[in-house]
Amino acid sequence: MNDSLRVGIIGLGWAGTVHARTVKEMDGLSLAGVMDPSPERRASTVGAPAVATVEELLRLGVDYCVVAAPTRHHEDIGLQLAKVRVPALIEKPLAHDLRSATRLVDAFEEADVVSAVGHTERHSPAVREMRRLLTEEDFGPIYQITTRRQGPFPARIQDVGVVRDLAIHDIDLIRWLTGDSIHQVSANVGAVSGRGTEDLATVLCRLTHGGLATLDTNWVSPRKERQVTVYTERGCLVADALAGTVTHYLNGAHAHGNRPDGSFPGSSSGLVITYPAQGELPFAAEHRAMRDTLLGQMGPLVTLREGAAAVAVTEAILASARTGTPVTIDNP
Ligand SMILES: NC(=O)c1ccc[n+]([C@@H]2O[C@H](COP(=O)([O-])OP(=O)(O)OC[C@H]3O[C@@H](n4cnc5c(N)ncnc54)[C@H](O)[C@@H]3O)[C@@H](O)[C@H]2O)c1
């Protein structure tokens, strides 16, 4: 397509390579070029010019850039893009700390260009189907949400610990699935790899409107898990992002609520239904949303403000683990 949007990728590691492949496969997008300071990375074949600086990448002509460099570089690169009003899809976490994340929010709002954070897990077909059920069907109040995200050790991630790298996905999902923000956290973290940052985290959360959430995450397990469970008044839903399934545990016909006014209907075991969730892959959904938004049809982008809110929760988690006390988060 001659009139396709030209995309530049900054950082050609694991994430940047998936973005490059996704862009090349999507109608209406073309890969303008990639940027990486590493000559070895630039030598990897992606079928587009590979350059060593952001300035050179911008000279190739881009309609938007993906920031897929290590997290500690997101702020500098993002600010550079905002300054010249280039739209950006910035990988999660938006930044390594809240001050940097806030500077990015301010810069892109001032520049008034399209921007988004790569919270890809929102686009996982199973999670997306769970959200559809929660928003389109009547499940009543959400009582509790639990997340489990475990997996093998990612030696390449050197600049942040597991809370900022992995738990941030679940922090974002809790907010997106419940429509509620995390108000308070009590956390414990553990470090076993000798890398200097945390490798395991268990977090208890209270949501602003009273719901409860727990996050369990680590990157020291040969067993990979990506699971979200939501407990509601009208049954329980489980999204398994790895299996690509949603399971619905329905309440049975005979509930045992014991409020005299019937306001708590109770629950008993009913049917269990598991089905595959369909849909495009998360990175493709992100680029479709960028493309559509830039072409004037709002796509489901994760805003930089939402990305900064997730970073704020990671800071509260690490502060709680450090001090051994619950930490309250100032949600705007
Ligand atoms: N959304 C997701 O599911 C997802 C998955 C993986 C990684 N990520 C995020 O993507 C980012 C990169 O992670 P990764 O796993 O691809 O890491 P990686 O180590 O595989 O790749 C990072 C690349 O960035 C390059 N780089 C280093 N300094 C740079 C700079 N100043 N400018 C541009 N490039 C630079 C490195 O040479 C390397 O090629 C991180 O922020 C990570 O959290 C997101």
Side-chain angles (χ1 to χ4, degrees):
M1 266 174 92
N2 289 337
D3 54 356
S4 57
L5 296 177
R6 291 171 59 78
V7 185
I9 310 286
I10 300 174
L12 196 59
W14 189 94
T17 304
V18 179
H19 280 293
R21 193 171 59 233
T22 305
V23 164
K24 281 166 53 176
E25 287 171 359
M26 179 154 293
D27 279 350
L29 297 182
S30 66
L31 189 59
V34 297
M35 175 268 165
D36 199 295
S38 153
E40 294 79 42
R41 291 293 164 92
R42 292 201 300 278
S44 53
T45 315
V46 289
V51 298
T53 65
V54 173
E55 291 79 1
E56 288 171 272
L57 182 68
L58 297 180
R59 277 200 292 276
L60 294 172
V62 296
D63 294 297
Y64 72 91
C65 279
V66 177
V67 180
T71 300
R72 68 178 179 280
H73 297 300
H74 289 188
E75 181 187 4
D76 285 351
I77 298 170
L79 293 180
Q80 192 175 353
L81 296 175
K83 198 169 172 191
V84 290
R85 304 196 70 241
V86 170
L89 169 60
I90 303 176
E91 263 304 345
K92 54 50 63 177
L94 174 57
H96 59 284
D97 66 18
L98 185 57
R99 282 183 57 185
S100 302
T102 306
R103 277 196 283 265
L104 284 167
V105 171
D106 292 345
F108 276 93
E109 287 187 354
E110 198 174 311
D112 194 22
V113 287
V114 171
S115 58
V117 188
H119 278 293
T120 19
E121 293 296 307
R122 282 196 195 186
H123 298 291
S124 142
V127 172
R128 211 163 37 205
E129 172 62 5
M130 175 184 254
R131 174 119 187 311
R132 189 194 68 72
L133 289 169
L134 288 170
T135 51
E136 292 181 13
E137 314 227 338
D138 185 10
F139 278 86
I142 293 176
Y143 295 142
Q144 196 174 31
I145 177 164
T146 66
T147 67
R148 297 187 57 75
R149 186 173 300 274
Q150 265 77 232
F153 190 61
R156 66 183 195 280
I157 305 291
Q158 293 290 335
D159 54 348
V160 291
V162 77
V163 169
R164 290 184 168 109
D165 192 75
L166 286 189
I168 191 121
H169 282 302
D170 298 307
I171 292 165
D172 179 64
L173 289 186
I174 288 170
R175 198 183 167 106
W176 188 60
L177 288 167
T178 63
D180 203 355
S181 48
I182 295 176
H183 170 64
Q184 191 183 67
V185 294
S186 303
N188 278 297
V189 300
V192 292
S193 67
R195 171 151 64 172
T197 50
E198 77 289 347
D199 303 303
L200 325 104
T202 295
V203 187
L204 311 178
C205 313
R206 180 167 282 283
L207 308 187
T208 302
H209 295 99
L212 303 179
T214 57
L215 289 89
D216 271 315
T217 192
N218 74 58
W219 53 26
V220 296
S221 164
R223 177 180 178 212
K224 209 170 169 187
E225 286 179 276
R226 300 282 186 264
Q227 214 174 74
V228 183
T229 305
V230 177
Y231 301 89
T232 77
E233 185 182 86
R234 309 256 159 77
C236 165
L237 292 170
V238 181
D240 187 325
L242 285 185
T245 57
V246 173
T247 301
H248 185 175
Y249 294 77
L250 282 79
N251 280 339
H254 302 292
H256 311 292
N258 58 2
R259 280 199 194 149
D261 65 356
S263 61
F264 172 59
S267 65
S268 57
S269 297
L271 282 176
V272 180
I273 304 162
T274 298
Y275 59 97
Q278 314 285 346
E280 68 186 342
L281 292 173
F283 280 76
E286 269 180 2
H287 283 282
R288 184 180 302 283
M290 279 300 283
R291 183 198 68 186
D292 292 352
T293 304
L294 285 165
L295 293 176
Q297 303 148 11
M298 282 300 286
L301 296 176
V302 182
T303 67
L304 297 206
R305 276 189 184 272
E306 291 175 293
V311 173
V313 177
T314 64
E315 291 205 344
I317 289 170
L318 295 173
S320 171
R322 217 169 31 243
T323 58
T325 56
V327 172
T328 300
I329 297 138
D330 265 344
N331 286 294

